[in-house]
Amino acid sequence: MNSRGILLVAHGSIVPGAEGDVEQLAAFLKKATGVQTVEIGYLDYTQPSIRDAAEVCTAQGLTDLLVVPYFLTDGYLCKKALRQVREALRGTAVNVQEARPLGGAPELVDAMLDAVQRADSQQP
């Protein structure tokens, strides 16, 4: 049996409720990919931790896991998050594939332009 899942890893926040955007993104990923298991793991401040989310994935019997970092750059925090995923899954039979961080993807320009338009529409 080949069972695939997605683990979305993000930084986390000390601001209560800030994880809502990440949860919404995970729901969009689930719908767009048709993958039934989309878990979220946070590096700091927010639960579940990356380790806990990875354990949920293994407990569900996933054989393949795509790790998607919700970071703009392949900087320190992204590397730390991916290292935690690798450590959490070390010794398991899960085949792990890592996506690249968002980086300079041209699609981000549209998101930025939308943000500019929203800000402009809020000006008095």
Side-chain angles (χ1 to χ4, degrees), residues 3 9-10 20 28 30 33 35 38 44 50-51 56 60-61 64 67 81 84 86 89-90 95 98 100 111-112 114:
S3 179
V9 294
F28 290 150
K30 186 173 187 175
T33 62
V35 172
V38 178
D44 288 312
I50 290 172
R51 177 169 296 285
V56 168
Q60 292 182 25
D64 296 289
V67 181
Q84 285 188 13
R86 286 184 218 109
L89 295 172
R90 185 176 295 130
N95 178 37
E98 295 176 3
R100 303 270 310 136
M112 293 172 97
D114 288 345

Side-chain angles (χ1 to χ4, degrees), residues 23-45:
E23 291 169 357
Q24 184 177 30
L25 181 61
F28 290 150
L29 269 175
K30 186 173 187 175
K31 184 176 180 182
T33 62
V35 172
Q36 292 302 305
T37 301
V38 178
E39 297 294 330
I40 305 169
Y42 295 97
L43 185 60
D44 288 312
Y45 310 115

